[in-house]
């Protein structure tokens, strides 16, 4: 409930009563569809983005969200231990080292892990 109002407050649809209700329903549906995940912070931004992109179509937002979680995001991305996030972060760091080594060294120097 707390994350609803924090989610894209500047975006007209998401900030509206209609958008907040739609976001609540999509998040609830996703959390029930994925009981091993439940609700995990940042899913609100995924769901809100889908609702905006899909013109408020809650059904489409739910199914696209489901496909993202099942097929596109690293397995475990939204598990309670955040193992998927750790893998994604290490992968991003490796790509950064490869594509932009100077920036990677700067971030390491600044202790940005």
């Amino acid at each position: 409930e707390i994350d609803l109002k924090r989610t894209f407050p500047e975006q007209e649809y998401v900030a509206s009563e209609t958008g907040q209700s739609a976001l609540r329903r999509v998040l609830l549906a996703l959390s029930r569809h994925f009981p091993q995940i439940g609700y995990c912070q940042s899913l609100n931004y995924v769901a809100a983005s889908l609702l905006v992109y899909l013109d408020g179509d809650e059904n489409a937002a739910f199914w696209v969200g489901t496909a993202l979680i099942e097929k596109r995001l690293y397995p475990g991305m939204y598990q309670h231990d955040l193992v998927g996030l750790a893998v994604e972060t290490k992968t991003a760091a490796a790509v950064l080292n490869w594509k932009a080594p100077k920036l990677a060294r700067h971030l390491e120097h600044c202790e940005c892990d």
Side-chain angles (χ1 to χ4, degrees), residues 18-39:
T18 301
Q20 292 282 292
S21 295
L23 180 57
R24 182 180 297 105
R25 286 188 293 271
V26 171
L27 289 171
L28 183 60
L30 287 170
S31 70
R32 288 186 177 164
H33 189 73
F34 296 103
Q36 72 278 20
I37 296 172
Y39 171 73

Side-chain angles (χ1 to χ4, degrees), residues 10-68:
E10 70 287 347
Q11 206 291 326
E12 187 177 337
Y13 172 73
V14 176
S16 72
E17 189 175 325
T18 301
Q20 292 282 292
S21 295
L23 180 57
R24 182 180 297 105
R25 286 188 293 271
V26 171
L27 289 171
L28 183 60
L30 287 170
S31 70
R32 288 186 177 164
H33 189 73
F34 296 103
Q36 72 278 20
I37 296 172
Y39 171 73
C40 183
Q41 212 167 21
S42 84
L43 272 177
N44 54 320
Y45 291 104
V46 173
S49 297
L50 292 171
L51 283 166
V52 169
Y53 184 74
L54 297 167
D55 296 321
D57 186 332
E58 295 174 43
N59 190 47
F62 169 77
W63 287 111
V64 172
T66 297
L68 284 171

Side-chain angles (χ1 to χ4, degrees), residues 37 40 42 73-80 82-86 88-89:
I37 296 172
C40 183
S42 84
L73 297 175
Y74 187 84
M77 176 61 92
Y78 288 110
Q79 286 180 346
H80 294 287
L82 299 177
V83 69
L85 179 61
E88 290 287 341
T89 302

Side-chain angles (χ1 to χ4, degrees), residues 74 77 83-99:
Y74 187 84
M77 176 61 92
V83 69
L85 179 61
V87 170
E88 290 287 341
T89 302
K90 289 182 187 298
T91 302
V95 170
L96 189 62
N97 277 318
W98 175 46
K99 291 289 196 176

